PDB file of all heavy atoms in Angstrom:
ATOM      1  N   ALA A 112      50.049 -38.730  41.738  1.00 98.00           N
ATOM      2  CA  ALA A 112      50.161 -37.377  42.295  1.00 98.00           C
ATOM      3  C   ALA A 112      48.869 -36.577  42.054  1.00 98.00           C
ATOM      4  O   ALA A 112      48.560 -35.674  42.828  1.00 98.00           O
ATOM      5  CB  ALA A 112      51.353 -36.650  41.654  1.00 98.00           C
ATOM      6  N   GLY A 113      48.143 -36.915  40.988  1.00 98.00           N
ATOM      7  CA  GLY A 113      47.000 -36.100  40.588  1.00 98.00           C
ATOM      8  C   GLY A 113      45.831 -36.190  41.562  1.00 98.00           C
ATOM      9  O   GLY A 113      45.717 -37.142  42.340  1.00 98.00           O
ATOM     10  N   GLN A 114      44.968 -35.205  41.462  1.00 98.00           N
ATOM     11  CA  GLN A 114      43.759 -35.193  42.308  1.00 98.00           C
ATOM     12  C   GLN A 114      42.907 -36.405  41.982  1.00 98.00           C
ATOM     13  O   GLN A 114      42.419 -37.098  42.862  1.00 98.00           O
ATOM     14  CB  GLN A 114      42.983 -33.895  42.108  1.00 98.00           C
ATOM     15  CG  GLN A 114      41.741 -33.779  42.947  1.00 98.00           C
ATOM     16  CD  GLN A 114      42.043 -33.651  44.434  1.00 98.00           C
ATOM     17  OE1 GLN A 114      43.167 -33.328  44.838  1.00 98.00           O
ATOM     18  NE2 GLN A 114      41.041 -33.891  45.277  1.00 98.00           N
ATOM     19  N   TYR A 115      42.715 -36.653  40.692  1.00 98.00           N
ATOM     20  CA  TYR A 115      41.966 -37.841  40.232  1.00 98.00           C
ATOM     21  C   TYR A 115      42.871 -38.625  39.285  1.00 98.00           C
ATOM     22  O   TYR A 115      43.808 -39.269  39.717  1.00 98.00           O
ATOM     23  CB  TYR A 115      40.639 -37.424  39.595  1.00 98.00           C
ATOM     24  CG  TYR A 115      39.728 -36.668  40.565  1.00 98.00           C
ATOM     25  CD1 TYR A 115      39.410 -35.349  40.342  1.00 98.00           C
ATOM     26  CD2 TYR A 115      39.241 -37.294  41.695  1.00 98.00           C
ATOM     27  CE1 TYR A 115      38.591 -34.655  41.230  1.00 98.00           C
ATOM     28  CE2 TYR A 115      38.437 -36.616  42.610  1.00 98.00           C
ATOM     29  CZ  TYR A 115      38.130 -35.300  42.371  1.00 98.00           C
ATOM     30  OH  TYR A 115      37.352 -34.615  43.254  1.00 98.00           O
ATOM     31  N   GLY A 116      42.606 -38.512  37.970  1.00 98.00           N
ATOM     32  CA  GLY A 116      43.450 -39.256  37.023  1.00 98.00           C
ATOM     33  C   GLY A 116      44.738 -38.542  36.625  1.00 98.00           C
ATOM     34  O   GLY A 116      45.514 -39.080  35.846  1.00 98.00           O
ATOM     35  N   GLY A 117      44.939 -37.341  37.151  1.00 98.00           N
ATOM     36  CA  GLY A 117      46.191 -36.617  36.839  1.00 98.00           C
ATOM     37  C   GLY A 117      46.264 -36.094  35.415  1.00 98.00           C
ATOM     38  O   GLY A 117      47.361 -35.799  34.909  1.00 98.00           O
ATOM     39  N   VAL A 118      45.121 -35.928  34.755  1.00 98.00           N
ATOM     40  CA  VAL A 118      45.133 -35.471  33.352  1.00 98.00           C
ATOM     41  C   VAL A 118      45.728 -34.074  33.215  1.00 98.00           C
ATOM     42  O   VAL A 118      46.498 -33.789  32.285  1.00 98.00           O
ATOM     43  CB  VAL A 118      43.692 -35.497  32.777  1.00 98.00           C
ATOM     44  CG1 VAL A 118      43.607 -34.742  31.470  1.00 98.00           C
ATOM     45  CG2 VAL A 118      43.288 -36.929  32.554  1.00 98.00           C
ATOM     46  N   VAL A 119      45.395 -33.196  34.166  1.00 99.00           N
ATOM     47  CA  VAL A 119      45.914 -31.835  34.066  1.00 99.00           C
ATOM     48  C   VAL A 119      47.439 -31.851  34.116  1.00 99.00           C
ATOM     49  O   VAL A 119      48.132 -31.320  33.234  1.00 99.00           O
ATOM     50  CB  VAL A 119      45.358 -30.937  35.201  1.00 99.00           C
ATOM     51  CG1 VAL A 119      46.069 -29.602  35.245  1.00 99.00           C
ATOM     52  CG2 VAL A 119      43.865 -30.736  35.022  1.00 99.00           C
ATOM     53  N   SER A 120      47.980 -32.536  35.105  1.00 98.00           N
ATOM     54  CA  SER A 120      49.449 -32.579  35.224  1.00 98.00           C
ATOM     55  C   SER A 120      50.067 -33.262  34.019  1.00 98.00           C
ATOM     56  O   SER A 120      51.114 -32.817  33.502  1.00 98.00           O
ATOM     57  CB  SER A 120      49.850 -33.303  36.522  1.00 98.00           C
ATOM     58  OG  SER A 120      49.327 -32.613  37.627  1.00 98.00           O
ATOM     59  N   ALA A 121      49.438 -34.329  33.533  1.00 98.00           N
ATOM     60  CA  ALA A 121      49.983 -35.064  32.380  1.00 98.00           C
ATOM     61  C   ALA A 121      50.016 -34.151  31.141  1.00 98.00           C
ATOM     62  O   ALA A 121      50.998 -34.159  30.391  1.00 98.00           O
ATOM     63  CB  ALA A 121      49.150 -36.312  32.102  1.00 98.00           C
ATOM     64  N   LEU A 137      50.597 -22.313  37.872  1.00 98.00           N
ATOM     65  CA  LEU A 137      49.919 -23.364  38.657  1.00 98.00           C
ATOM     66  C   LEU A 137      49.682 -22.881  40.076  1.00 98.00           C
ATOM     67  O   LEU A 137      49.932 -21.707  40.399  1.00 98.00           O
ATOM     68  CB  LEU A 137      50.787 -24.630  38.667  1.00 98.00           C
ATOM     69  CG  LEU A 137      51.156 -25.236  37.306  1.00 98.00           C
ATOM     70  CD1 LEU A 137      52.029 -26.483  37.505  1.00 98.00           C
ATOM     71  CD2 LEU A 137      49.916 -25.597  36.499  1.00 98.00           C
ATOM     72  N   THR A 138      49.229 -23.775  40.921  1.00 98.00           N
ATOM     73  CA  THR A 138      48.929 -23.444  42.309  1.00 98.00           C
ATOM     74  C   THR A 138      49.609 -24.472  43.211  1.00 98.00           C
ATOM     75  O   THR A 138      49.357 -25.671  43.081  1.00 98.00           O
ATOM     76  CB  THR A 138      47.399 -23.444  42.542  1.00 98.00           C
ATOM     77  OG1 THR A 138      46.812 -22.535  41.625  1.00 98.00           O
ATOM     78  CG2 THR A 138      47.054 -23.018  43.956  1.00 98.00           C
ATOM     79  N   PRO A 146      47.343 -21.999  49.848  1.00 97.00           N
ATOM     80  CA  PRO A 146      48.020 -22.250  48.569  1.00 97.00           C
ATOM     81  C   PRO A 146      48.647 -20.980  47.991  1.00 97.00           C
ATOM     82  O   PRO A 146      48.230 -19.871  48.325  1.00 97.00           O
ATOM     83  CB  PRO A 146      46.888 -22.765  47.673  1.00 97.00           C
ATOM     84  CG  PRO A 146      45.626 -22.418  48.329  1.00 97.00           C
ATOM     85  CD  PRO A 146      45.888 -22.151  49.772  1.00 97.00           C
ATOM     86  N   CYS A 160      52.884 -29.382  42.198  1.00 98.00           N
ATOM     87  CA  CYS A 160      51.638 -28.593  42.307  1.00 98.00           C
ATOM     88  C   CYS A 160      50.390 -29.443  42.119  1.00 98.00           C
ATOM     89  O   CYS A 160      49.281 -28.906  42.158  1.00 98.00           O
ATOM     90  CB  CYS A 160      51.657 -27.486  41.247  1.00 98.00           C
ATOM     91  SG  CYS A 160      52.861 -26.220  41.547  1.00 98.00           S
ATOM     92  N   ALA A 161      50.542 -30.731  41.864  1.00 98.00           N
ATOM     93  CA  ALA A 161      49.364 -31.566  41.610  1.00 98.00           C
ATOM     94  C   ALA A 161      48.450 -31.578  42.831  1.00 98.00           C
ATOM     95  O   ALA A 161      48.897 -31.361  43.971  1.00 98.00           O
ATOM     96  CB  ALA A 161      49.784 -32.979  41.241  1.00 98.00           C
ATOM     97  N   GLY A 162      47.192 -31.867  42.604  1.00 98.00           N
ATOM     98  CA  GLY A 162      46.221 -31.943  43.702  1.00 98.00           C
ATOM     99  C   GLY A 162      45.450 -30.641  43.846  1.00 98.00           C
ATOM    100  O   GLY A 162      45.991 -29.552  43.641  1.00 98.00           O
ATOM    101  N   SER A 163      44.175 -30.759  44.194  1.00 98.00           N
ATOM    102  CA  SER A 163      43.311 -29.573  44.302  1.00 98.00           C
ATOM    103  C   SER A 163      43.450 -28.945  45.694  1.00 98.00           C
ATOM    104  O   SER A 163      43.423 -29.629  46.688  1.00 98.00           O
ATOM    105  CB  SER A 163      41.840 -29.978  44.110  1.00 98.00           C
ATOM    106  OG  SER A 163      41.700 -30.560  42.832  1.00 98.00           O
ATOM    107  N   LYS A 164      43.577 -27.632  45.666  1.00 97.00           N
ATOM    108  CA  LYS A 164      43.554 -26.855  46.917  1.00 97.00           C
ATOM    109  C   LYS A 164      42.218 -26.107  46.842  1.00 97.00           C
ATOM    110  O   LYS A 164      41.997 -25.350  45.886  1.00 97.00           O
ATOM    111  CB  LYS A 164      44.717 -25.867  47.000  1.00 97.00           C
ATOM    112  CG  LYS A 164      46.101 -26.538  47.076  1.00 97.00           C
ATOM    113  CD  LYS A 164      46.649 -26.744  45.692  1.00 97.00           C
ATOM    114  CE  LYS A 164      47.894 -27.627  45.718  1.00 97.00           C
ATOM    115  NZ  LYS A 164      48.306 -27.994  44.354  1.00 97.00           N
ATOM    116  N   TYR A 165      41.366 -26.278  47.823  1.00 97.00           N
ATOM    117  CA  TYR A 165      39.982 -25.860  47.623  1.00 97.00           C
ATOM    118  C   TYR A 165      39.686 -24.409  47.981  1.00 97.00           C
ATOM    119  O   TYR A 165      38.545 -24.048  48.203  1.00 97.00           O
ATOM    120  CB  TYR A 165      39.042 -26.831  48.326  1.00 97.00           C
ATOM    121  CG  TYR A 165      38.947 -28.141  47.572  1.00 97.00           C
ATOM    122  CD1 TYR A 165      39.724 -29.226  47.904  1.00 97.00           C
ATOM    123  CD2 TYR A 165      38.111 -28.243  46.444  1.00 97.00           C
ATOM    124  CE1 TYR A 165      39.666 -30.433  47.174  1.00 97.00           C
ATOM    125  CE2 TYR A 165      38.046 -29.429  45.712  1.00 97.00           C
ATOM    126  CZ  TYR A 165      38.829 -30.492  46.067  1.00 97.00           C
ATOM    127  OH  TYR A 165      38.773 -31.654  45.323  1.00 97.00           O
ATOM    128  N   SER A 166      40.710 -23.577  48.061  1.00 97.00           N
ATOM    129  CA  SER A 166      40.417 -22.156  48.267  1.00 97.00           C
ATOM    130  C   SER A 166      40.820 -21.364  47.039  1.00 97.00           C
ATOM    131  O   SER A 166      41.362 -21.926  46.084  1.00 97.00           O
ATOM    132  CB  SER A 166      41.138 -21.642  49.515  1.00 97.00           C
ATOM    133  OG  SER A 166      42.537 -21.669  49.313  1.00 97.00           O
ATOM    134  N   ALA A 167      40.554 -20.045  47.087  1.00 98.00           N
ATOM    135  CA  ALA A 167      40.723 -19.211  45.881  1.00 98.00           C
ATOM    136  C   ALA A 167      42.127 -18.607  45.851  1.00 98.00           C
ATOM    137  O   ALA A 167      42.317 -17.412  46.052  1.00 98.00           O
ATOM    138  CB  ALA A 167      39.661 -18.121  45.894  1.00 98.00           C
ATOM    139  N   ALA A 168      43.097 -19.439  45.564  1.00 97.00           N
ATOM    140  CA  ALA A 168      44.474 -18.960  45.489  1.00 97.00           C
ATOM    141  C   ALA A 168      44.621 -17.982  44.299  1.00 97.00           C
ATOM    142  O   ALA A 168      44.098 -18.234  43.233  1.00 97.00           O
ATOM    143  CB  ALA A 168      45.410 -20.149  45.258  1.00 97.00           C
ATOM    144  N   SER A 170      46.433 -17.479  41.894  1.00 97.00           N
ATOM    145  CA  SER A 170      47.532 -18.075  41.093  1.00 97.00           C
ATOM    146  C   SER A 170      47.957 -17.242  39.877  1.00 97.00           C
ATOM    147  O   SER A 170      49.089 -17.342  39.441  1.00 97.00           O
ATOM    148  CB  SER A 170      47.140 -19.446  40.579  1.00 97.00           C
ATOM    149  OG  SER A 170      45.979 -19.934  41.142  1.00 97.00           O
ATOM    150  N   VAL A 188      46.771 -23.005  34.248  1.00 98.00           N
ATOM    151  CA  VAL A 188      45.770 -23.918  34.818  1.00 98.00           C
ATOM    152  C   VAL A 188      44.993 -23.113  35.852  1.00 98.00           C
ATOM    153  O   VAL A 188      45.597 -22.513  36.742  1.00 98.00           O
ATOM    154  CB  VAL A 188      46.436 -25.136  35.502  1.00 98.00           C
ATOM    155  CG1 VAL A 188      45.365 -25.996  36.192  1.00 98.00           C
ATOM    156  CG2 VAL A 188      47.216 -25.972  34.462  1.00 98.00           C
ATOM    157  N   GLY A 189      43.681 -23.097  35.715  1.00 98.00           N
ATOM    158  CA  GLY A 189      42.946 -22.275  36.684  1.00 98.00           C
ATOM    159  C   GLY A 189      41.482 -22.633  36.819  1.00 98.00           C
ATOM    160  O   GLY A 189      40.914 -23.397  36.027  1.00 98.00           O
ATOM    161  N   ARG A 190      40.901 -22.035  37.855  1.00 98.00           N
ATOM    162  CA  ARG A 190      39.463 -22.156  38.068  1.00 98.00           C
ATOM    163  C   ARG A 190      38.756 -21.383  36.926  1.00 98.00           C
ATOM    164  O   ARG A 190      39.376 -20.557  36.263  1.00 98.00           O
ATOM    165  CB  ARG A 190      39.102 -21.544  39.436  1.00 98.00           C
ATOM    166  CG  ARG A 190      39.924 -22.125  40.591  1.00 98.00           C
ATOM    167  CD  ARG A 190      39.532 -21.536  41.964  1.00 98.00           C
ATOM    168  NE  ARG A 190      39.707 -20.116  42.068  1.00 98.00           N
ATOM    169  CZ  ARG A 190      40.859 -19.488  42.358  1.00 98.00           C
ATOM    170  NH1 ARG A 190      41.993 -20.169  42.527  1.00 98.00           N
ATOM    171  NH2 ARG A 190      40.928 -18.177  42.462  1.00 98.00           N
ATOM    172  N   GLN A 193      39.385 -17.782  36.692  1.00 98.00           N
ATOM    173  CA  GLN A 193      40.747 -17.436  36.275  1.00 98.00           C
ATOM    174  C   GLN A 193      40.885 -17.589  34.746  1.00 98.00           C
ATOM    175  O   GLN A 193      41.571 -16.805  34.097  1.00 98.00           O
ATOM    176  CB  GLN A 193      41.754 -18.333  36.992  1.00 98.00           C
ATOM    177  CG  GLN A 193      41.746 -18.069  38.503  1.00 98.00           C
ATOM    178  CD  GLN A 193      42.709 -18.952  39.262  1.00 98.00           C
ATOM    179  OE1 GLN A 193      42.673 -20.165  39.147  1.00 98.00           O
ATOM    180  NE2 GLN A 193      43.584 -18.320  40.036  1.00 98.00           N
ATOM    181  N   LEU A 222      39.640 -25.838  35.244  1.00 98.00           N
ATOM    182  CA  LEU A 222      39.163 -26.869  36.174  1.00 98.00           C
ATOM    183  C   LEU A 222      37.671 -26.693  36.348  1.00 98.00           C
ATOM    184  O   LEU A 222      37.182 -25.560  36.399  1.00 98.00           O
ATOM    185  CB  LEU A 222      39.836 -26.715  37.526  1.00 98.00           C
ATOM    186  CG  LEU A 222      41.373 -26.681  37.547  1.00 98.00           C
ATOM    187  CD1 LEU A 222      41.866 -26.319  38.947  1.00 98.00           C
ATOM    188  CD2 LEU A 222      41.955 -27.993  37.084  1.00 98.00           C
ATOM    189  N   PHE A 223      36.927 -27.781  36.464  1.00 98.00           N
ATOM    190  CA  PHE A 223      35.541 -27.642  36.914  1.00 98.00           C
ATOM    191  C   PHE A 223      35.601 -27.043  38.313  1.00 98.00           C
ATOM    192  O   PHE A 223      36.506 -27.377  39.100  1.00 98.00           O
ATOM    193  CB  PHE A 223      34.848 -28.995  37.039  1.00 98.00           C
ATOM    194  CG  PHE A 223      34.467 -29.679  35.747  1.00 98.00           C
ATOM    195  CD1 PHE A 223      34.971 -29.259  34.542  1.00 98.00           C
ATOM    196  CD2 PHE A 223      33.560 -30.729  35.748  1.00 98.00           C
ATOM    197  CE1 PHE A 223      34.617 -29.892  33.342  1.00 98.00           C
ATOM    198  CE2 PHE A 223      33.194 -31.369  34.575  1.00 98.00           C
ATOM    199  CZ  PHE A 223      33.718 -30.956  33.368  1.00 98.00           C
ATOM    200  N   CYS A 224      34.669 -26.196  38.657  1.00 98.00           N
ATOM    201  CA  CYS A 224      34.690 -25.636  40.031  1.00 98.00           C
ATOM    202  C   CYS A 224      33.306 -25.109  40.323  1.00 98.00           C
ATOM    203  O   CYS A 224      32.844 -24.135  39.720  1.00 98.00           O
ATOM    204  CB  CYS A 224      35.743 -24.541  40.100  1.00 98.00           C
ATOM    205  SG  CYS A 224      35.842 -23.725  41.700  1.00 98.00           S
ATOM    206  N   PHE A 225      32.625 -25.710  41.294  1.00 97.00           N
ATOM    207  CA  PHE A 225      31.296 -25.240  41.678  1.00 97.00           C
ATOM    208  C   PHE A 225      31.389 -24.241  42.815  1.00 97.00           C
ATOM    209  O   PHE A 225      30.436 -23.507  43.068  1.00 97.00           O
ATOM    210  CB  PHE A 225      30.376 -26.431  42.027  1.00 97.00           C
ATOM    211  CG  PHE A 225      29.850 -27.128  40.778  1.00 97.00           C
ATOM    212  CD1 PHE A 225      30.689 -27.817  39.935  1.00 97.00           C
ATOM    213  CD2 PHE A 225      28.517 -27.037  40.439  1.00 97.00           C
ATOM    214  CE1 PHE A 225      30.233 -28.459  38.787  1.00 97.00           C
ATOM    215  CE2 PHE A 225      28.026 -27.648  39.273  1.00 97.00           C
ATOM    216  CZ  PHE A 225      28.888 -28.356  38.473  1.00 97.00           C
ATOM    217  N   TRP A 226      32.463 -24.223  43.543  1.00 98.00           N
ATOM    218  CA  TRP A 226      32.771 -23.193  44.539  1.00 98.00           C
ATOM    219  C   TRP A 226      34.208 -23.363  45.024  1.00 98.00           C
ATOM    220  O   TRP A 226      34.767 -24.431  44.962  1.00 98.00           O
ATOM    221  CB  TRP A 226      31.843 -23.207  45.752  1.00 98.00           C
ATOM    222  CG  TRP A 226      31.392 -24.527  46.302  1.00 98.00           C
ATOM    223  CD1 TRP A 226      30.142 -25.042  46.257  1.00 98.00           C
ATOM    224  CD2 TRP A 226      32.184 -25.502  47.033  1.00 98.00           C
ATOM    225  NE1 TRP A 226      30.112 -26.267  46.887  1.00 98.00           N
ATOM    226  CE2 TRP A 226      31.348 -26.573  47.369  1.00 98.00           C
ATOM    227  CE3 TRP A 226      33.518 -25.556  47.433  1.00 98.00           C
ATOM    228  CZ2 TRP A 226      31.765 -27.699  48.068  1.00 98.00           C
ATOM    229  CZ3 TRP A 226      33.965 -26.706  48.115  1.00 98.00           C
ATOM    230  CH2 TRP A 226      33.075 -27.733  48.439  1.00 98.00           C
ATOM    231  N   ALA A 227      34.743 -22.235  45.518  1.00 98.00           N
ATOM    232  CA  ALA A 227      36.012 -22.274  46.251  1.00 98.00           C
ATOM    233  C   ALA A 227      35.722 -21.769  47.662  1.00 98.00           C
ATOM    234  O   ALA A 227      34.731 -21.073  47.894  1.00 98.00           O
ATOM    235  CB  ALA A 227      37.047 -21.396  45.560  1.00 98.00           C
ATOM    236  N   VAL A 294      38.765 -29.741  32.795  1.00 98.00           N
ATOM    237  CA  VAL A 294      38.953 -31.039  33.426  1.00 98.00           C
ATOM    238  C   VAL A 294      38.250 -31.066  34.784  1.00 98.00           C
ATOM    239  O   VAL A 294      38.343 -30.138  35.566  1.00 98.00           O
ATOM    240  CB  VAL A 294      40.464 -31.352  33.616  1.00 98.00           C
ATOM    241  CG1 VAL A 294      40.644 -32.774  34.136  1.00 98.00           C
ATOM    242  CG2 VAL A 294      41.234 -31.174  32.318  1.00 98.00           C
ATOM    243  N   GLY A 295      37.525 -32.150  35.035  1.00 98.00           N
ATOM    244  CA  GLY A 295      36.840 -32.300  36.323  1.00 98.00           C
ATOM    245  C   GLY A 295      36.898 -33.748  36.790  1.00 98.00           C
ATOM    246  O   GLY A 295      37.610 -34.581  36.201  1.00 98.00           O
ATOM    247  N   SER A 296      36.133 -34.024  37.813  1.00 98.00           N
ATOM    248  CA  SER A 296      36.054 -35.402  38.294  1.00 98.00           C
ATOM    249  C   SER A 296      35.067 -36.183  37.426  1.00 98.00           C
ATOM    250  O   SER A 296      34.385 -35.593  36.565  1.00 98.00           O
ATOM    251  CB  SER A 296      35.558 -35.395  39.749  1.00 98.00           C
ATOM    252  OG  SER A 296      34.195 -35.065  39.766  1.00 98.00           O
ATOM    253  N   GLU A 298      32.902 -38.056  39.146  1.00 92.00           N
ATOM    254  CA  GLU A 298      31.875 -38.196  40.192  1.00 92.00           C
ATOM    255  C   GLU A 298      31.678 -39.668  40.593  1.00 92.00           C
ATOM    256  O   GLU A 298      30.792 -39.931  41.396  1.00 92.00           O
ATOM    257  CB  GLU A 298      30.525 -37.598  39.766  1.00 92.00           C
ATOM    258  CG  GLU A 298      30.525 -36.090  39.602  1.00 92.00           C
ATOM    259  CD  GLU A 298      30.518 -35.333  40.937  1.00 92.00           C
ATOM    260  OE1 GLU A 298      30.439 -35.990  41.974  1.00 92.00           O
ATOM    261  OE2 GLU A 298      30.669 -34.096  40.881  1.00 92.00           O
ATOM    262  N   ASN A 304      39.386 -38.785  34.993  1.00 98.00           N
ATOM    263  CA  ASN A 304      38.847 -37.412  34.943  1.00 98.00           C
ATOM    264  C   ASN A 304      37.804 -37.323  33.829  1.00 98.00           C
ATOM    265  O   ASN A 304      37.846 -38.080  32.871  1.00 98.00           O
ATOM    266  CB  ASN A 304      39.947 -36.395  34.548  1.00 98.00           C
ATOM    267  CG  ASN A 304      40.950 -36.155  35.630  1.00 98.00           C
ATOM    268  OD1 ASN A 304      42.083 -36.669  35.558  1.00 98.00           O
ATOM    269  ND2 ASN A 304      40.574 -35.383  36.634  1.00 98.00           N
TER     270      ASN A 304
HETATM  271  C1  LIG B  27      38.483 -24.888  44.240  1.00 81.88           C
HETATM  272  C2  LIG B  27      38.231 -26.081  43.371  1.00 81.88           C
HETATM  273  C3  LIG B  27      36.931 -26.601  43.265  1.00 81.88           C
HETATM  274  C4  LIG B  27      36.680 -27.700  42.433  1.00 81.88           C
HETATM  275  N1  LIG B  27      35.387 -28.169  42.334  1.00 81.88           N
HETATM  276  C5  LIG B  27      35.118 -29.195  41.492  1.00 81.88           C
HETATM  277  C6  LIG B  27      33.792 -29.694  41.338  1.00 81.88           C
HETATM  278  O1  LIG B  27      32.863 -29.194  41.988  1.00 81.88           O
HETATM  279  N2  LIG B  27      33.582 -30.726  40.464  1.00 81.88           N
HETATM  280  C7  LIG B  27      34.584 -31.295  39.752  1.00 81.88           C
HETATM  281  O2  LIG B  27      34.350 -32.228  38.972  1.00 81.88           O
HETATM  282  N3  LIG B  27      35.861 -30.846  39.880  1.00 81.88           N
HETATM  283  C8  LIG B  27      36.150 -29.793  40.703  1.00 81.88           C
HETATM  284  N4  LIG B  27      37.434 -29.335  40.814  1.00 81.88           N
HETATM  285  C9  LIG B  27      38.481 -29.889  39.926  1.00 81.88           C
HETATM  286  C10 LIG B  27      39.114 -31.152  40.492  1.00 81.88           C
HETATM  287  O3  LIG B  27      39.307 -31.015  41.878  1.00 81.88           O
HETATM  288  C11 LIG B  27      40.468 -31.414  39.797  1.00 81.88           C
HETATM  289  O4  LIG B  27      41.281 -30.266  39.878  1.00 81.88           O
HETATM  290  C12 LIG B  27      40.319 -31.723  38.329  1.00 81.88           C
HETATM  291  O5  LIG B  27      39.449 -32.820  38.154  1.00 81.88           O
HETATM  292  C13 LIG B  27      41.680 -32.095  37.719  1.00 81.88           C
HETATM  293  O6  LIG B  27      42.085 -33.317  38.265  1.00 81.88           O
HETATM  294  P1  LIG B  27      43.504 -33.903  37.908  1.00 81.88           P
HETATM  295  O7  LIG B  27      43.655 -35.234  38.561  1.00 81.88           O
HETATM  296  O8  LIG B  27      43.728 -33.833  36.433  1.00 81.88           O
HETATM  297  O9  LIG B  27      44.429 -32.800  38.605  1.00 81.88           O
HETATM  298  P2  LIG B  27      45.963 -32.681  38.889  1.00 81.88           P
HETATM  299  O10 LIG B  27      46.761 -33.354  37.836  1.00 81.88           O
HETATM  300  O11 LIG B  27      46.202 -32.983  40.313  1.00 81.88           O
HETATM  301  O12 LIG B  27      46.152 -31.100  38.667  1.00 81.88           O
HETATM  302  C14 LIG B  27      45.437 -30.191  39.468  1.00 81.88           C
HETATM  303  C15 LIG B  27      45.826 -28.796  39.027  1.00 81.88           C
HETATM  304  O13 LIG B  27      44.989 -27.883  39.662  1.00 81.88           O
HETATM  305  C16 LIG B  27      45.693 -26.727  40.015  1.00 81.88           C
HETATM  306  N5  LIG B  27      45.051 -26.181  41.211  1.00 81.88           N
HETATM  307  C17 LIG B  27      44.961 -26.767  42.417  1.00 81.88           C
HETATM  308  N6  LIG B  27      44.271 -26.007  43.261  1.00 81.88           N
HETATM  309  C18 LIG B  27      43.935 -24.889  42.578  1.00 81.88           C
HETATM  310  C19 LIG B  27      43.213 -23.715  42.904  1.00 81.88           C
HETATM  311  N7  LIG B  27      42.694 -23.510  44.130  1.00 81.88           N
HETATM  312  N8  LIG B  27      43.059 -22.774  41.964  1.00 81.88           N
HETATM  313  C20 LIG B  27      43.556 -22.965  40.721  1.00 81.88           C
HETATM  314  N9  LIG B  27      44.239 -24.058  40.339  1.00 81.88           N
HETATM  315  C21 LIG B  27      44.412 -25.009  41.255  1.00 81.88           C
HETATM  316  C22 LIG B  27      47.117 -27.207  40.277  1.00 81.88           C
HETATM  317  O14 LIG B  27      48.027 -26.199  39.917  1.00 81.88           O
HETATM  318  C23 LIG B  27      47.265 -28.420  39.374  1.00 81.88           C
HETATM  319  O15 LIG B  27      47.902 -28.075  38.201  1.00 81.88           O
HETATM  320  C24 LIG B  27      37.735 -28.281  41.672  1.00 81.88           C
HETATM  321  C25 LIG B  27      39.033 -27.767  41.795  1.00 81.88           C
HETATM  322  C26 LIG B  27      39.271 -26.674  42.621  1.00 81.88           C
HETATM  323  C27 LIG B  27      40.697 -26.132  42.695  1.00 81.88           C
END
Side-chain angles (χ1 to χ4, degrees):
Q114 181 68 18
Y115 300 115
V118 166
V119 170
S120 299
L137 303 179
T138 304
C160 291
S163 301
K164 295 90 191 171
Y165 285 96
S166 66
S170 351
V188 175
R190 307 181 299 279
Q193 295 179 306
L222 306 172
F223 286 15
C224 178
F225 282 68
W226 39 248
V294 186
S296 72
E298 294 286 354
N304 289 103

